[in-house]
Amino acid sequence: MRFQLLGPLALGDGPDVVVLQPSKPVILLAALLLHANSTVSADYLQRAVWGEDQPATARAALQTCVLRLRRLFTKHGVTGTSIEAVPGGYRITAGPPTLDLLGFRDQVRRATALAGDPEAELYTLKDALSLWQGSLLANVRSDVLHRDEVPRLSEERLRAVERVCDLLLGLGRCGEALVDLWTATRVYPGHERFHEQLIEALYRTGRQSQALAEYRRVKGFLLDELGVDPSPSLRQLELSILRGEDLGAGGAVRAAVEPAPARAYAPAPAPGPGPRTTSRVIQGAAVPLPAAAPGAGPVPAVPHFTGREAEAAAMAARLTAPPPPGADGGRPLTVLVSGAPGIGKSALAQHVAHLVRDSFPAGRLLVRMTRADGHPRTADEVAAEVAATLGPGRAGERALLVLDDVVDADQVRPLLTPPDLAVVVTSRMGLGGLIATHGGWVHRLTAFTEAESYALLLAALGTERVEAEPRAARQLAALCGHFPAALRILTARLLTRPGLRLGDAVDWLGDDPLARLTLTDSPDHSVSGLFDRALGRLDPRLSEAFLRIGAGPPELLRETDGTDGTKRHPPVPEDVLEQLADAGLLEDGPPGPYRIHDLLRAHLRRTVRIRNRRTEKV
């Protein structure tokens, strides 16, 4: 049994994770775990549970709360961990394997010890950050803990993220650093170091004008919001860019080889109530940053993961099951997750990888199988990277590979050789040839159910906002076609507009769903862009056929009754339909054997209209 603090407070047992419902015993548990292995005074626990205005019977009520928490442990089968009554208060004992906060701090300490090896330090820090599962203590309703403890923990994470970006810049992987830094600067707009790193990364990737525009943007923010000028290091960075200086051998390289002092990303002061500190960093919600690509690294956590319970349970059971009697163990266990672009394949694979972490002591590695431009990476390149990352001689311990966005079976086959590996493959393609030659299980994903869509909105937007307008929430999910990528983009937009009522958002989204399902500060994150990239991977003739099908009537995909009463086959050749279905662009019917998702059909029709207008102008 393990406790998860770095997100909603939860109990984990193997692949099973239970997010605890808000209650006073849950507040008590959070307060004890935040100070694990230390005595926490009864006075502080009372303030954490009841706030500054405590009832006269708070001391007796605390004892009752402890009894309720112990019953909660019994209910969920928590063994090996107990709440001890000690002089002055209470104490709970935990270690890195049983408490993710301690596991995170332990990994950060390991990273500090690897300071002479930037690649190893980077890998270890990314593994530590993968333990963060979402908004800290979202289900713990304690003003005291959110005031005194959450900022402290958020600062620990920020230091680790900052060091990761320093290492990426120092290793010359500026494009990879940009992925994290775009999000970090928007979530933490007052954190000047993130802005320095972003500006440097933009400049070193040849985007001088964007780098200077970003400097002007942050300068305006600091003056307007805080009334201060940019720091001397930010001003010096702008001057270096204006002079056209080479920053490749500057501070970032030294930062990768010569780590910052231990305090730069060591754990916060010893747990315990204490005064708050102030800084020029504006604290925000602990939002996990998206994973960088391409490359190989620890499997990142998936914020607000919901739905897919049956698929996740089945995958976890298959990955952790012992080999069948008589198995020669000569081939890795393989699980294929396939489906349309944006259907949630990567999220499911990464979520399951975290559920089964205890079964893979040699590590869990996410391998991006395509480059940022969509071109596939070669099998030899990936095999060399995996071997270098996992290292030789795992002493019989198993490792898990998540091969993400596989383009064809030939990319995968050379990697399916070590018997001490388990492999999860995500692909838009059906990869029937791979399953035929190497075996394995297939999970073909479709759109969410109504209940899964509603659960995602609850998790991402919060119970209060969604349950205040449940009908509007369901209408929004329907406008998104219950398509996971569309729902994610919608929730991101709604989170940036907290004052927008869901009912008003229904009208706003319904006017033009395709145009509204995009992130204005990150145009690559859009439903239309997602579909365009998918079409770009197709053979041009197949892409043209798909455009004609999508812009035409539904009868193109199914049999119809002829005037003589006989059945007429679809006018599109069967092999074309099969190829489109294999590419994840056609779903199983009804009606008929195939259908196109409503959002995708709308995109195809818009694409044809735009192309026709351009042709008319010519």
Side-chain angles (χ1 to χ4, degrees):
M1 183 66 69
R2 65 184 184 277
F3 297 97
Q4 296 179 189
L5 263 180
L6 303 180
L9 182 54
L11 301 177
D13 185 10
D16 300 321
V17 177
V18 177
V19 176
L20 300 175
Q21 294 299 311
S23 66
K24 287 182 171 55
V26 168
I27 298 173
L28 174 63
L29 176 60
L32 290 169
L33 290 173
L34 286 165
H35 311 283
N37 306 314
S38 300
T39 298
V40 186
S41 72
D43 288 341
Y44 182 72
L45 292 174
Q46 288 166 205
R47 282 195 293 115
V49 175
W50 287 281
E52 303 297 345
D53 298 325
Q54 302 169 31
T57 58
R59 183 59 62 98
L62 178 63
Q63 295 173 354
T64 302
C65 204
V66 170
L67 292 175
R68 290 176 59 195
L69 181 54
R70 287 170 175 158
R71 286 198 291 269
L72 185 69
F73 279 15
T74 302
K75 173 185 175 182
H76 291 289
V78 177
T79 58
T81 301
S82 60
I83 302 165
E84 302 174 77
V86 295
Y90 294 88
R91 179 176 61 203
I92 193 169
T93 303
T98 57
L99 178 58
D100 58 359
L101 174 59
L102 298 183
F104 169 76
R105 289 171 173 164
D106 185 59
Q107 285 289 82
V108 168
R109 280 191 289 268
R110 290 171 184 264
T112 305
L114 294 168
D117 185 345
E119 288 281 4
E121 183 184 1
L122 177 63
Y123 179 89
T124 305
L125 279 177
K126 284 190 170 184
D127 200 30
L129 288 166
S130 72
L131 294 172
W132 291 72
Q133 300 285 333
S135 297
L136 278 170
L137 305 183
N139 55 339
V140 178
R141 296 174 180 170
S142 168
D143 292 340
V144 170
L145 295 184
H146 282 275
R147 183 194 68 199
D148 295 342
E149 304 295 344
V150 167
R152 192 198 308 263
L153 294 182
S154 296
E155 186 64 26
E156 289 188 50
R157 180 178 174 279
L158 287 179
R159 290 169 181 170
V161 173
E162 195 176 292
R163 179 62 180 162
V164 163
C165 293
D166 272 338
L167 288 164
L168 288 171
L169 293 173
L171 292 166
R173 290 153 64 174
C174 300
E176 198 173 325
L178 281 172
V179 179
D180 285 352
L181 289 168
W182 278 121
T183 301
T185 52
R186 272 54 184 174
V187 175
Y188 305 102
H191 196 298
E192 292 187 60
R193 179 59 189 145
F194 283 148
H195 289 287
E196 286 182 41
Q197 293 170 320
L198 175 60
I199 293 166
E200 179 181 340
L202 287 169
Y203 177 65
R204 289 174 60 190
T205 52
R207 296 151 75 172
Q208 181 180 15
S209 59
Q210 276 188 271
L212 292 171
E214 182 65 19
Y215 174 82
R216 290 192 294 270
R217 195 188 70 80
V218 68
K219 179 181 179 181
F221 171 84
L222 292 171
L223 287 171
D224 294 344
E225 299 295 328
L226 303 179
V228 297
D229 291 317
S231 63
S233 56
L234 257 177
R235 296 198 298 271
Q236 180 59 47
L237 180 59
E238 182 208 22
L239 186 59
S240 297
I241 293 172
L242 291 171
R243 290 172 174 170
E245 296 176 1
D246 181 6
L247 300 181
V253 173
R254 290 195 299 273
V257 179
E258 303 170 9
R263 64 178 176 82
Y265 65 118
R276 287 176 289 164
T277 59
T278 59
S279 69
R280 295 184 70 184
V281 176
I282 297 178
Q283 297 293 348
V287 180
L289 304 183
V299 180
V302 181
H304 308 308
F305 184 88
T306 55
R308 311 292 191 204
E309 292 182 3
E311 293 91 343
M315 287 175 63
R318 284 164 178 161
L319 290 169
T320 57
D328 60 9
R331 181 174 291 166
L333 172 71
T334 306
V335 176
L336 168 65
V337 184
S338 63
I343 205 68
K345 303 179 294 295
S346 301
L348 175 61
Q350 293 171 31
H351 176 67
V352 170
H354 278 271
L355 294 182
V356 300
R357 62 161 66 92
D358 295 340
S359 298
F360 296 95
R364 295 157 292 119
L365 195 64
L366 176 68
V367 185
R368 310 286 181 178
M369 302 298 286
T370 54
R371 304 183 188 281
D373 59 6
H375 287 85
R377 304 173 71 204
T378 66
D380 290 343
E381 174 190 357
V382 173
E385 187 173 40
V386 169
T389 305
L390 289 178
R394 294 188 292 276
E397 292 185 338
R398 299 180 75 209
L400 174 65
L401 292 186
V402 178
L403 305 180
D404 191 43
D405 200 14
V406 167
V407 174
D408 57 46
D410 289 339
Q411 271 191 305
V412 179
R413 288 192 177 102
L415 300 172
L416 302 182
T417 50
D420 56 350
L421 284 180
V423 181
V424 176
V425 174
T426 77
S427 179
R428 300 173 187 179
M429 308 302 293
L431 302 184
L434 178 69
I435 299 301
T437 57
H438 285 69
W441 288 272
V442 179
H443 295 273
R444 181 85 173 182
L445 302 186
T446 58
F448 275 163
T449 64
E450 291 185 15
E452 287 175 325
S453 296
Y454 192 79
L456 174 58
L457 295 178
L458 282 172
L461 300 178
T463 302
E464 291 183 8
R465 190 174 182 185
V466 173
E467 292 194 343
E469 300 179 79
R471 184 170 177 271
R474 291 186 171 87
Q475 288 177 304
L476 288 171
L479 287 168
C480 290
H482 305 289
F483 199 70
L487 288 164
R488 291 283 182 186
I489 292 170
L490 171 68
T491 55
R493 294 211 66 176
L494 291 176
L495 285 170
T496 64
R497 301 180 65 181
L500 181 65
R501 293 180 59 256
L502 299 189
D504 295 332
V506 170
D507 297 332
W508 164 75
L509 180 61
D511 285 343
D512 192 346
L514 287 175
R516 301 283 159 74
L517 289 172
T518 184
L519 301 181
T520 53
D521 63 337
S522 183
D524 287 343
H525 289 83
S526 70
V527 169
S528 291
L530 179 71
F531 291 152
D532 276 335
R533 290 190 292 273
L535 292 174
R537 286 195 187 182
L538 294 177
D539 178 278
R541 290 171 296 181
L542 196 60
S543 178
E544 283 298 315
F546 191 44
L547 283 170
R548 288 197 302 272
I549 294 169
E555 288 73 19
L556 290 177
L557 292 176
R558 63 175 184 262
E559 293 179 337
T560 57
D561 293 324
T563 55
D564 57 356
T566 61
K567 291 289 185 181
R568 293 182 178 177
H569 293 289
V572 181
E574 181 70 17
D575 66 319
V576 171
L577 297 177
E578 279 294 312
Q579 290 179 69
L580 291 170
D582 192 57
L585 297 173
L586 290 182
E587 301 175 348
D588 295 335
Y594 307 106
R595 60 185 171 87
I596 302 176
H597 189 278
D598 289 344
L599 277 179
L600 179 53
R601 185 181 287 278
H603 174 73
L604 295 172
R605 288 177 171 170
R606 171 174 287 190
T607 300
V608 170
R609 286 197 303 271
I610 292 172
R611 189 169 64 177
N612 289 343
R613 284 200 296 269
R614 288 174 179 167
T615 304
E616 290 168 2
K617 289 178 182 179
V618 174

